Amino acid sequence: METSNQSFFTEFFILGLSQNSHLQGPIFIVFFHMYLTTLLGNIVIITIICADFHLQKPMYYFLMNLSFLDICFTSGTIPKMLEICLTGNKSIKFLACILQFYICSSFICTEFFLLSVMALDRYVAICQPLRYTVIMSKRAVVLLAAASWLLGFLGTIPHTVLISTLSFCGSHEINHFFCDLTALLKLSCTDTFFINIATFAEGVVIGLCPFILTIISYVLIISNIMKMSSTGGRKKSFSTCSAHLTAVLLFYGTELGVYMRTTSGVSLEKDKLFAVMFTIVIPMVNPFIYSLRNNEVKRALRKFKKNICYQENTLHKVE
């Protein structure tokens, strides 16, 4: 399709993780199992938080939002990659590609805000325990979560509009496994200077600022924990916060490293590896990070397993 007029442009071709036909089967098997693990792990987290009365707390409400976000995020990227591996169908409509870019960018931005809100919740719980129930009221918790989603989806609209106005007059093959920003900019024959500036500015406002606020929160939290006289309380607080901080550093490290730069000198192959981290690996390990270091979640999981086993035994007896 040799035209610079975007109105006649209808589709891209996503090349996937590898163009080697012999690797498509192994890639499909590996990522299909990773996707199922991500879905199962996050669905279990959501289920036990909804079902267990002891987990009806702000921290777990935010965690439930994070799990739902991770399910949506991976479902917006991985199924297309699996389709490419299984059927070889690499085409994606232009509007579908722009929509995928918008949705994925919105989920990323939402997670930036959500992780900051979770850090704020831990700060109030540990540094302001007597005022915790007042500050983190049900109304405040719902508003903070809703604001994270709203800001995430509104903040990426200008960027998406800019991307949709680009002209793609050369190759329409996206060297990635989804409609990623850097891969799209590489294909554009339009000057991308202003979009690069907008990308950096958005990274500062939506990515770096929440990250700094999150780090400040954890510095204050750790400082407060060190002053605790109770060894048990210190250990419990460290256990919870270290899990949160691990997830924060993994997510921010890959995201800001990829997007807060221009397209010059960008290695798309390296970007694919980073993208695998934040689109599938981090959403897959988040449930384990938050559950394995949290005694309340582990107790709820054991209770959940017992209930499942009890129901299965009851059904067998009825049969």
Side-chain angles (χ1 to χ4, degrees):
M1 194 171 296
E2 301 295 325
T3 178
S4 61
N5 188 339
Q6 190 168 298
S7 62
F8 295 101
F9 174 62
T10 59
E11 63 183 3
F12 285 112
F13 297 94
I14 299 178
L15 299 183
L17 273 178
S18 174
Q19 296 183 60
N20 188 330
S21 59
H22 299 293
L23 293 178
Q24 299 309 307
I27 289 174
F28 176 84
I29 293 170
V30 170
F31 282 90
F32 178 71
H33 283 91
M34 292 175 73
Y35 181 52
L36 288 182
T37 302
T38 301
L39 293 180
L40 181 61
N42 284 288
I43 288 172
V44 167
I45 289 292
I46 293 172
T47 302
I48 63 171
I49 290 174
C50 291
D52 197 300
F53 174 77
H54 297 93
L55 299 183
Q56 305 300 308
K57 301 175 183 178
M59 179 176 72
Y60 300 112
Y61 179 76
F62 294 134
L63 178 56
M64 185 171 63
N65 273 265
L66 181 63
S67 290
F68 178 70
L69 189 152
D70 283 340
I71 290 172
C72 295
F73 187 23
T74 54
S75 297
T77 55
I78 303 304
K80 180 59 183 178
M81 184 184 72
L82 296 177
E83 180 191 358
I84 292 170
C85 294
L86 191 63
T87 67
N89 178 23
K90 299 180 179 181
S91 66
I92 182 170
K93 296 296 182 182
F94 174 79
L95 290 178
C97 186
I98 297 301
L99 180 61
Q100 186 188 55
F101 167 77
Y102 169 67
I103 289 174
C104 291
S105 299
S106 298
F107 285 140
I108 290 169
C109 293
T110 300
E111 189 152 347
F112 284 145
F113 291 117
L114 195 56
L115 289 173
S116 293
V117 167
M118 293 174 75
L120 173 65
D121 172 70
R122 289 300 84 206
Y123 166 76
V124 176
I126 294 172
C127 301
Q128 304 286 334
L130 298 180
R131 300 176 59 198
Y132 181 72
T133 55
V134 176
I135 297 173
M136 302 303 291
S137 63
K138 287 184 178 180
R139 175 182 170 82
V141 168
V142 171
L143 287 176
L144 284 170
S148 298
W149 286 91
L150 186 62
L151 290 172
F153 276 79
L154 289 179
T156 53
I157 290 176
H159 211 148
T160 305
V161 171
L162 286 174
I163 293 293
S164 66
T165 59
L166 291 176
S167 295
F168 301 92
C169 50
S171 170
H172 297 149
E173 294 182 341
I174 298 176
N175 187 15
H176 218 291
F177 60 89
F178 69 101
C179 293
D180 178 70
L181 172 65
T182 52
L184 287 171
L185 294 183
K186 283 283 187 180
L187 298 182
S188 175
C189 56
T190 307
D191 183 9
T192 60
F193 174 77
F194 290 107
I195 292 183
N196 285 327
I197 296 299
T199 301
F200 187 83
E202 185 179 291
V204 170
V205 175
I206 298 180
L208 193 58
C209 287
F211 176 65
I212 292 172
L213 292 174
T214 301
I215 294 301
I216 291 173
S217 297
Y218 280 113
V219 168
L220 295 174
I221 288 169
I222 293 171
S223 175
N224 193 274
I225 290 174
M226 296 300 293
K227 297 175 183 178
M228 289 182 177
S229 56
S230 170
T231 304
R234 191 185 307 160
K235 184 178 179 181
K236 181 180 178 181
S237 298
F238 261 127
S239 178
T240 302
C241 290
S242 63
H244 291 197
L245 195 55
T246 299
V248 166
L249 293 176
L250 280 172
F251 183 75
Y252 276 100
T254 54
E255 284 291 344
L256 295 182
V258 169
Y259 291 115
M260 284 195 65
R261 57 184 177 172
T262 61
T263 55
S264 57
V266 170
S267 168
L268 291 179
E269 295 305 319
K270 289 182 180 179
D271 274 3
K272 287 182 187 180
L273 295 178
F274 278 112
V276 167
M277 281 294 295
F278 64 75
T279 59
I280 186 68
V281 175
I282 293 175
M284 182 180 68
V285 300
N286 269 346
F288 299 99
I289 290 174
Y290 285 102
S291 63
L292 293 178
R293 302 297 298 275
N294 189 303
N295 289 327
E296 287 184 312
V297 174
K298 286 191 284 188
R299 277 196 295 269
L301 278 170
R302 287 194 291 268
K303 183 179 178 181
F304 181 72
K305 289 178 182 178
K306 286 181 180 178
N307 289 336
I308 294 295
C309 292
Y310 175 77
Q311 291 175 4
E312 288 180 350
N313 290 334
T314 303
L315 288 173
H316 284 312
K317 288 178 180 179
V318 170
E319 290 176 355

